Amino acid sequence: MLIDSHAHTTDAHFDADRQEVLNRAFSSGLKYILEVGCEPPLWDKVAELSKQEKIYSMFGLHPQDADKFNEELFNKLKSLLSDKKCVAVGEIGLDYHYEGYDKQLQKELFVKQINLALEINKPICVHCRDAYDDMVEIFKTFKQLPKGVIHCFSGSYEQAKVVVDMGFLIGIDGPCTYPKSNKLKRVIENVSLDKILVETDCPYLAPQLYRGTRNEPSYVVEVAKKIAEVKCVPFEDVCNITTNNTIKLYNLENS
């Protein structure tokens, strides 16, 4: 039994066969899917999808959309976060990968959404790309941080250790299966299994077996298999422990 702790099945890539994809995931043994709403145009679609059994939601404003922030959007976000099937604020964070984004605007929005998570007592799902140092510096400004996960972790083991010591979990995705992902494999090898979540981030980052095609929630099993291989532990242990980690972080059994 596994949980895809980070999926985007409301993405247009699934418009032709979304329900079939979801049915396939649950038929393959997934316990839950956590659907992420980080783009305002898809928020309502995510809320509607999460009405289905075994699907939970989270909502936030992605750093690449920081320039779209306004009070009207923020008020809608707060309303969505109050839904009983919504388990977290996310994905939120920093992304300096592309040119042309306002770093200061991203930082301000990130802080605002962390504060919102603290206010409503929900965990955060953090997106960080090419912005690790600034993310950590922001975390250090808080006397108290929400629980949370650094989603789709792509940093070094040393960086992973810092955020794990701050109380965060690490989200592992399809790239761990790629032949040249030695840095990520070192993270997996050295971070305790009780600090790891498994994700797909579908439709992106398909595992090696499906590389070049659309990713989907059922493929999260490939991530779990690779973690088991790298850590030299039984596949069943990876399933059980990461599932329990996700349930505990997001309080799923009581949502």
Side-chain angles (χ1 to χ4, degrees):
M1 193 71 77
L2 284 164
I3 297 174
D4 182 358
S5 65
H6 195 109
H8 298 276
T9 64
T10 45
D11 186 273
H13 285 84
F14 296 102
D15 282 353
D17 61 347
R18 181 170 296 106
Q19 198 57 51
E20 289 89 339
V21 167
L22 296 172
N23 293 343
R24 183 158 55 243
F26 294 124
S27 296
S28 71
L30 262 67
K31 186 177 180 69
Y32 301 123
I33 293 172
L34 273 60
E35 182 70 15
V36 180
C38 57
E39 300 173 70
L42 292 178
W43 280 351
D44 289 338
K45 199 171 179 180
V46 171
E48 184 64 28
L49 187 75
S50 70
K51 292 177 182 179
Q52 293 193 33
E53 189 180 1
K54 300 181 181 179
I55 299 178
Y56 291 90
S57 64
M58 63 180 76
F59 296 97
L61 195 61
H62 194 281
Q64 290 178 346
D65 289 328
D67 59 343
K68 298 175 184 174
F69 172 79
N70 57 52
E71 285 305 315
E72 182 181 356
L73 266 185
F74 196 60
N75 287 333
K76 180 169 184 177
L77 174 60
K78 287 191 280 189
S79 175
L80 289 165
L81 290 168
S82 69
D83 187 273
K84 65 179 181 179
K85 292 294 290 292
C86 175
V87 297
V89 181
E91 61 190 277
I92 63 174
L94 303 172
D95 192 322
Y96 300 166
H97 186 67
Y98 298 106
E99 295 293 327
Y101 289 104
D102 188 324
K103 292 183 179 181
Q104 188 57 36
L105 208 58
Q106 288 193 18
K107 291 177 185 178
E108 290 171 3
L109 180 61
F110 189 25
V111 168
K112 193 174 185 73
Q113 292 182 99
I114 294 173
N115 279 319
L116 177 57
L118 288 167
E119 180 185 324
I120 64 176
N121 193 29
K122 286 189 175 177
I124 56 175
C125 175
V126 179
H127 171 104
C128 179
R129 185 160 59 161
D130 299 339
Y132 177 85
D133 290 340
D134 281 359
M135 176 188 71
V136 170
E137 286 307 306
I138 285 172
F139 288 157
K140 287 178 178 177
T141 65
F142 286 83
K143 291 182 180 178
Q144 175 192 357
L145 282 165
K147 295 189 297 181
V149 59
I150 310 302
H151 144 69
C152 197
F153 190 80
S154 59
S156 66
Y157 166 64
E158 290 74 20
Q159 292 173 327
K161 187 177 186 305
V162 170
V163 291
V164 167
D165 287 346
M166 291 178 125
F168 290 98
L169 279 68
I170 299 294
I172 302 295
D173 302 59
C176 75
T177 65
Y178 301 166
K180 296 182 180 180
S181 62
N182 293 327
K183 184 172 73 168
L184 186 52
K185 290 184 178 77
R186 182 169 178 252
V187 171
I188 294 168
E189 185 178 1
N190 290 283
V191 171
S192 173
L193 193 52
D194 64 3
K195 301 297 183 183
I196 291 175
L197 304 186
V198 291
E199 317 175 330
T200 61
D201 201 22
C202 65
Y204 317 106
L205 302 175
Q208 184 65 25
L209 184 63
Y210 305 100
R211 200 166 181 180
T213 68
R214 180 190 69 178
N215 199 4
E216 61 178 75
S218 61
Y219 297 171
V220 76
V221 67
E222 298 300 319
V223 177
K225 285 178 181 176
K226 180 56 67 173
I227 292 172
E229 177 188 320
V230 172
K231 295 187 81 65
C232 299
V233 299
F235 172 72
E236 292 75 14
D237 287 0
V238 175
C239 294
N240 292 336
I241 294 171
T242 61
T243 294
N244 288 336
N245 294 344
T246 309
I247 289 170
K248 183 178 178 182
L249 173 64
Y250 293 121
N251 197 29
L252 297 183
E253 308 287 59
N254 297 312
S255 298

